[in-house]
Amino acid sequence: MQTDFLVIGSGIAGLTFALKAAAHGKVLVVTKSELSDTNTSWAQGGVAAAVGEGDSWELHEEDTLISGAGLCNEVAVRYLVQNAKPCLEWLIDLGARFDYVPGSELPQLQLGREGGHSRNRIVHHADQSGWEIERALTEAVRKQENIRILEYAFCEALCERNGRCTGALLHPKDSDPVTVSSRATMLATGSCCQIYRFTTNPPIATGDGIGLASAIGAKIENMEFIQFHPTTLYHREARNFLITEAVRGEGGILRTIHGRRFMFDYDSRGELAPRDIVARAMHAEILKEGVPFLHLDMTHLPEEKIKSHFPKILEKLTSIGIDPMRDPIPVVPAAHYQCGGVSTDLSGRTSVPSLYAAGEVACTGVHGANRLASNSLLEALVFGASAADHAKDHASEHSAGEPRRLPLSTVRKVEVDGFIRRLKRIMMDKVGIVRNNLGLKHAAESIEELASEAQQDDRFHVSGAEAGNMIEAARIVVRHAIERKVNVGLHYNSDLGPPSGEGANRQGAST
Ligand SMILES: Cc1cc2nc3c(=O)[nH]c(=O)nc-3n(C[C@H](O)[C@H](O)[C@H](O)COP(=O)(O)OP(=O)(O)OC[C@H]3O[C@@H](n4cnc5c(N)ncnc54)[C@H](O)[C@@H]3O)c2cc1C
């Protein structure tokens, strides 16, 4: 098979690239699940853009840099914030519907406020912004004659010849693997947060892009900066359900399961401290109490407020037998966002010629050590577009390359359940919110043990490649965490000194 542009992943980054590239050649979009099964569809808060009165890209830039705790790529941040408005307008022209201020004479976007932003600048569609963006993008790509979509096709390896990416090896669900030759390849495979036991991410987020990029030798950085969201529902029937920070904003209280309020023991702002501080305090209380979860208490809030402000949460909790008007909600902090990834420049170019990356799999440097709320959809949009702009003029000629696999990805059968459960526990316990030197060392050793088991054990089934990618992503997170010798932003090792880049700890938060 041949195509001009091969896009791996159908979230906001991949589809933005596809739509822009389609004006310049044939595009093939592949995804391992159905088209809209993406992290993008799960995004709630919205897209950050300095489009409100009294706001400016300079202020957005300043907030982003403070959150990044001194580790942002300043050139990339400026590019991001200066391109927010045109990229948002493109999305609106495409058909994405955002909320407008009711009754205003001229259409005026309703702008939300989130942690770390000095102005209201979150463009949203109720609390389902990602779903609406994905809807608009998928409808648009389906209409494009130049775009072919291949669902349920797993990208097993990127292909390489003379140091250049020449396409990929795909494994469609009910047929044999096929090599696709492309003139430019966009890696838009999203996050690796499924390597953790608790995560807000959907099951597709297995870090495949990190495994694929590592196997072909692309540079990867900042993977130690994994952002944890403090309040994710802890319930057998409803995993990964995020309970928005707004609940605490409206007066929700965090308690131990014995009813003790604890946040003021850690920070004078109590439940409203930045998320990394809240997550760390929760981690300490979980260890201290020896319990698997804590409680978020809304029972003292007026019933009317709960019903009007949190209808989706109320619906979800009621469906699993929790009445938030009477019962405390069991919650745990969960891995939410991968700030690092495959290194790219302003045009989405990786260190491997003809291979581009954008979205959560990429590390443009805009997040530094801690992502500012709602900058991630924006990053995927801005750099997905800039990559297409570059690729249209610099796509190489077709050539036949060889698939570059991780040694592990040759495992054909993976006993995913037990194996992956062990990996997720190691990551959560030793490489989670608070790390220490011994724990990181043990994690590195345990992951190597798992890796050698995976190579030897032919009982393994399902996707050996996916499991291999998870191991590789976990390895890299641990390695980068060991290499980071100072506490900064989201990386906290209790054997190191107090955090540097205090800005991140004061402001850092995200949706
Ligand atoms: C609950 C939640 C709430 C969030 N809220 C916000 C918010 O309000 N604002 C914000 O800015 N960000 C938010 N985020 C983060 C944001 O949603 C993501 O960073 C962003 O959507 C990532 O987009 P992406 O295109 O990079 O990847 P994704 O949207 O995750 O798409 C990845 C694609 O790659 C495909 N894929 C992966 N591996 C392979 C493979 N091997 N072969 C083929 N296909 C593959 C997947 O199937 C999928 O199609 C939130 C995230 C979560 C989980």
Side-chain angles (χ1 to χ4, degrees):
M1 267 169 101
Q2 278 198 351
T3 185
D4 294 312
F5 305 102
L6 172 62
V7 182
I8 306 161
S10 56
I12 183 170
L15 297 188
T16 299
F17 178 92
L19 285 163
K20 298 273 184 180
H24 309 281
K26 296 277 178 209
V27 180
L28 175 64
V29 175
V30 294
T31 172
K32 65 178 176 178
S33 183
E34 67 181 49
L35 200 61
S36 58
D37 187 3
T38 59
N39 267 23
T40 300
S41 297
W42 287 41
Q44 297 180 348
V47 186
V51 292
E53 223 172 277
D55 201 0
S56 65
W57 64 258
E58 287 92 341
L59 290 170
H60 189 182
E61 177 181 64
E62 191 182 325
D63 294 342
T64 303
L65 293 174
I66 290 173
S67 187
L71 293 193
C72 293
N73 173 338
E74 294 187 11
V75 178
V77 171
R78 180 153 298 184
Y79 188 81
L80 176 86
V81 295
Q82 288 189 333
N83 281 283
K85 193 162 182 266
C87 284
L88 183 71
E89 284 165 356
W90 175 80
L91 203 53
I92 293 172
D93 288 345
L94 204 68
R97 300 161 304 187
F98 295 110
D99 293 348
Y100 284 81
V101 177
S104 61
E105 266 179 41
L106 293 171
Q108 199 186 332
L109 283 164
Q110 198 174 58
L111 300 171
R113 181 79 158 259
E114 286 179 343
H117 287 276
S118 57
R119 296 287 185 281
N120 285 23
R121 63 167 76 100
I122 313 301
V123 179
H124 58 273
H125 175 100
D127 58 356
Q128 290 174 294
S129 307
W131 175 88
E132 172 56 18
I133 291 169
E134 185 74 15
R135 182 203 61 75
L137 289 167
T138 51
E139 279 184 22
V141 291
R142 285 191 198 281
K143 282 188 206 146
Q144 263 288 345
E145 283 185 2
N146 253 0
I147 300 181
R148 196 180 148 202
I149 298 163
L150 198 56
E151 290 173 294
Y152 297 101
F154 188 87
C155 177
E156 288 198 345
L158 296 168
C159 298
E160 180 261 339
R161 187 183 167 91
N162 296 333
R164 179 175 289 278
C165 178
T166 60
L169 179 72
L170 307 179
H171 197 161
K173 199 174 170 199
D174 296 315
S175 56
D176 291 334
V178 53
T179 301
V180 177
S181 161
S182 62
R183 299 174 55 227
T185 301
M186 160 53 74
L187 192 63
T189 47
S191 154
C192 75
C193 284
Q194 275 290 337
I195 61 176
Y196 285 90
R197 181 169 171 226
F198 298 120
T199 176
T200 62
N201 287 199
I204 52 110
T206 51
D208 295 345
I210 298 299
L212 294 166
S214 175
I216 202 173
K219 185 177 172 209
I220 295 168
E221 60 186 335
N222 283 5
M223 288 292 287
E224 68 276 35
F225 299 119
I226 300 285
Q227 193 167 57
F228 283 77
H229 195 287
T231 52
T232 310
L233 188 60
Y234 181 86
H235 196 277
R236 192 169 296 158
E237 289 162 40
R239 291 185 141 244
N240 304 358
F241 186 73
L242 192 76
I243 312 254
T244 167
E245 183 167 294
V247 169
R248 280 176 285 131
E250 292 297 335
I253 294 173
L254 284 165
R255 299 185 189 280
T256 65
I257 57 167
H258 304 296
R260 181 172 56 83
R261 187 176 191 175
F262 58 83
M263 265 317 300
F264 283 100
D265 299 346
Y266 295 88
D267 193 287
S268 59
R269 290 160 291 186
E271 279 79 6
L272 296 182
R275 286 183 196 175
D276 48 347
I277 293 179
V278 178
R280 255 174 243 152
M282 291 176 71
H283 174 81
E285 288 295 326
I286 284 173
L287 287 183
K288 201 194 300 177
E289 298 268 320
V291 291
F293 61 86
L294 297 165
H295 278 148
L296 178 61
D297 184 3
M298 300 170 80
T299 54
H300 55 290
L301 301 185
E303 290 200 8
E304 270 323 301
K305 183 174 259 184
I306 296 180
K307 283 180 184 157
S308 61
H309 282 52
F310 308 112
K312 267 206 85 175
I313 292 175
L314 183 59
E315 185 191 312
K316 183 74 182 183
L317 294 174
T318 311
S319 77
I320 53 167
I322 297 173
D323 175 359
M325 267 73 94
R326 273 154 208 88
D327 311 320
I329 309 162
V331 289
V332 281
H336 185 54
Y337 186 80
Q338 166 195 316
C339 292
V342 183
S343 309
T344 57
D345 65 7
L346 292 188
S347 302
R349 282 187 298 177
T350 70
S351 61
V352 176
S354 299
L355 178 65
Y356 295 79
E360 198 162 334
V361 71
C363 182
T364 59
V366 299
H367 305 306
N370 194 0
R371 174 187 67 132
L372 181 67
S374 287
N375 262 356
S376 38
L377 290 171
L378 177 64
E379 183 200 31
L381 194 60
V382 168
F383 292 97
S386 73
D389 198 42
H390 187 276
K392 77 177 189 333
D393 297 326
H394 298 90
S396 58
E397 292 307 310
H398 284 287
S399 70
E402 286 297 313
R404 296 289 168 230
R405 298 168 184 273
L406 294 169
L408 276 174
S409 68
T410 55
V411 176
R412 297 308 312 152
K413 296 175 178 176
V414 176
E415 190 86 79
V416 168
D417 287 354
F419 183 85
I420 297 303
R421 210 177 299 132
R422 278 162 62 200
L423 179 69
K424 283 167 172 274
R425 275 189 185 276
I426 295 167
M427 292 304 291
M428 198 73 214
D429 294 347
K430 313 266 189 233
V431 202
I433 299 161
V434 176
R435 302 143 182 195
N436 61 49
N437 291 342
L438 192 62
L440 289 172
K441 182 172 173 285
H442 284 165
E445 288 163 3
S446 307
I447 290 168
E448 289 320 311
E449 274 168 30
L450 278 180
S452 66
E453 272 181 52
Q455 278 167 321
Q456 288 157 13
D457 192 341
D458 61 2
R459 288 175 303 123
F460 288 165
H461 66 90
V462 190
S463 169
E466 205 173 43
N469 292 331
M470 289 176 83
I471 292 177
E472 186 67 1
R475 264 181 179 153
I476 296 174
V477 173
V478 175
R479 191 165 70 232
H480 289 189
I482 289 173
E483 285 166 4
R484 179 72 60 190
K485 296 296 182 204
V486 47
N487 284 334
V488 56
L490 298 164
H491 175 67
Y492 187 82
N493 176 337
S494 58
D495 289 328
L496 302 177
S500 70
E502 263 304 305
N505 293 329
R506 276 187 269 108
Q507 306 258 359
S510 77
T511 52

